[in-house]
Amino acid sequence: MSELPYRFLKPGKVIVDYGPVTMTIEAYREGKPLPEALVKGAEVAVAVLEELAAPPFLQVARRAVAEIASADDAPFPEVLRRMIKAVRMLGEPDFTPMAAVAGTIADLVKEAVCAAGADHAVVNNGGDISLFRREEDPPLRVGIVRDLAEGRVTHVIHILPGRGIGGLATSGLGGRSLTKGVASAVTVLAADSSLADAAATAVANATNCDDPAVERCRAEEIDYFTDIRGHLVTRRVGRLGEAAVEEALTRGLERFLQLRARGMPLRGAVLFVQGRMKMWPQNIVRPLTEASLFLP
């Protein structure tokens, strides 16, 4: 394409709007905007998306990981290799690599921005965030939502440099993807955004309960083009009883801890079900105040 689909929002920040991707990219070096890194990031975002959208690779990305040959041996592009590896770490053979697509693209763009000289990079791919900061930098304050359907920032996570957090992602009912659970939002922090994306999907799926207020249907009844045809997903959730909310939150948090025990480098999780919250570790989020908000 002759012209990249991006525009500057302010010095040091661009928005890329291309196909299914709406992404913001921040890039600084020693506190100063780095426009050349932003342009490089936009170029990589478009190139990676076009690479993945090529019919042979998109077909693979929409298949269950149990049906896909080893990503190390197959002639796949890097974006698809990483998607497959992240999803395989979940240990759920019916997941498709698409469970990690947004986070993986964000990681690749962040890496390109850093390779172009940035020492501060934040890539927000529709809520799946990949970031890099120097260890001497102050904490990054990231706003998160407790309800994806509402889309309103309600809480803040303080991310400290040097703690191994390179990405975070949010999944749940009302988000861009389908879910099997009842969580209004699940945010997971991880070593990178690809892993956070896959894990957030799995944890959100696990926030389940046996309650007549939960209405389920086949995935294709909501999205004809879904990559999980035949799977039961959540269509809507009415008012849950207190016991059902507690059950869903507990199941979700247990799944998060299981994934950590499997060796996934997950650093934290915040789960919301109808206004109630569980988190690990404790006190990683705070209610939003105007003074503490920073949206990357």
Side-chain angles (χ1 to χ4, degrees), residues 29 34 37 40 44 108-119 121 132:
R29 182 174 182 82
L34 203 62
K40 182 61 178 179
V44 168
L108 289 168
V109 172
K110 175 193 68 179
E111 291 168 15
V113 168
C114 291
D119 60 15
F132 173 79

Side-chain angles (χ1 to χ4, degrees), residues 38-56:
L38 292 170
V39 172
K40 182 61 178 179
E43 291 174 348
V44 168
V46 171
V48 168
L49 186 62
E50 290 184 341
E51 193 172 37
L52 183 60

Side-chain angles (χ1 to χ4, degrees), residues 29 39 45 47 49 53 65-66 73 79 108 142 144 161 185 192 199 228 230 286:
R29 182 174 182 82
V39 172
L49 186 62
V65 289
D73 300 330
V79 60
L108 289 168
V142 180
I144 65 169
D192 60 42
I228 55 171
R286 302 175 186 175

Side-chain angles (χ1 to χ4, degrees), residues 5-236:
Y6 75 90
R7 60 184 172 87
F8 279 82
L9 297 176
K10 64 178 183 179
K13 186 173 185 177
V14 300
I15 184 168
V16 179
D17 195 354
Y18 185 61
V21 168
T22 301
M23 170 191 295
T24 59
I25 308 171
E26 286 192 24
Y28 295 88
R29 182 174 182 82
E30 297 180 352
K32 298 179 180 179
L34 203 62
E36 58 269 33
L38 292 170
V39 172
K40 182 61 178 179
E43 291 174 348
V44 168
V46 171
V48 168
L49 186 62
E50 290 184 341
E51 193 172 37
L52 183 60
F57 302 131
L58 185 58
Q59 290 173 9
V60 173
R62 295 171 58 85
R63 292 167 54 191
V65 289
E67 303 172 2
I68 301 174
S70 170
D72 292 326
D73 300 330
F76 297 151
E78 181 66 14
V79 60
L80 183 54
R81 290 176 186 269
R82 294 195 191 188
M83 290 163 58
I84 293 169
K85 289 182 179 180
V87 171
R88 281 202 168 126
M89 292 192 74
L90 301 174
E92 299 193 39
D94 61 344
F95 265 53
T96 76
M98 294 299 289
V101 61
T104 304
I105 293 175
D107 282 336
L108 289 168
V109 172
K110 175 193 68 179
E111 291 168 15
V113 168
C114 291
D119 60 15
H120 168 108
V122 180
V123 178
N124 186 341
N125 188 9
D128 293 347
I129 299 170
S130 187
L131 55 93
F132 173 79
R133 312 194 64 221
R134 301 172 301 176
E135 290 199 11
E136 61 268 28
D137 287 341
L140 183 69
R141 298 186 296 275
V142 180
I144 65 169
V145 301
R146 69 178 182 184
D147 190 327
L148 281 165
E150 291 182 359
R152 181 172 59 88
V153 174
T154 56
H155 291 73
V156 173
I157 295 179
H158 291 249
I159 299 178
L160 300 174
R163 299 295 179 88
I165 299 173
L168 63 153
T170 302
S171 185
L173 190 63
R176 295 177 301 170
S177 302
L178 303 178
T179 183
K180 300 178 180 181
V182 300
S184 55
V186 169
T187 297
V188 172
L189 294 82
D192 60 42
S193 188
S194 181
L195 294 169
D197 194 2
T201 303
V203 173
N205 281 354
T207 56
N208 231 317
C209 59
D210 185 13
D211 191 288
V214 182
E215 181 182 338
R216 297 181 174 87
C217 65
R218 299 290 179 184
E220 59 270 26
E221 294 180 35
I222 300 176
D223 179 5
Y224 181 80
F225 298 102
T226 180
D227 57 309
I228 55 171
R229 293 181 68 86
H231 290 226
L232 277 180
V233 298
T234 305
R235 185 194 292 273
R236 63 177 60 91

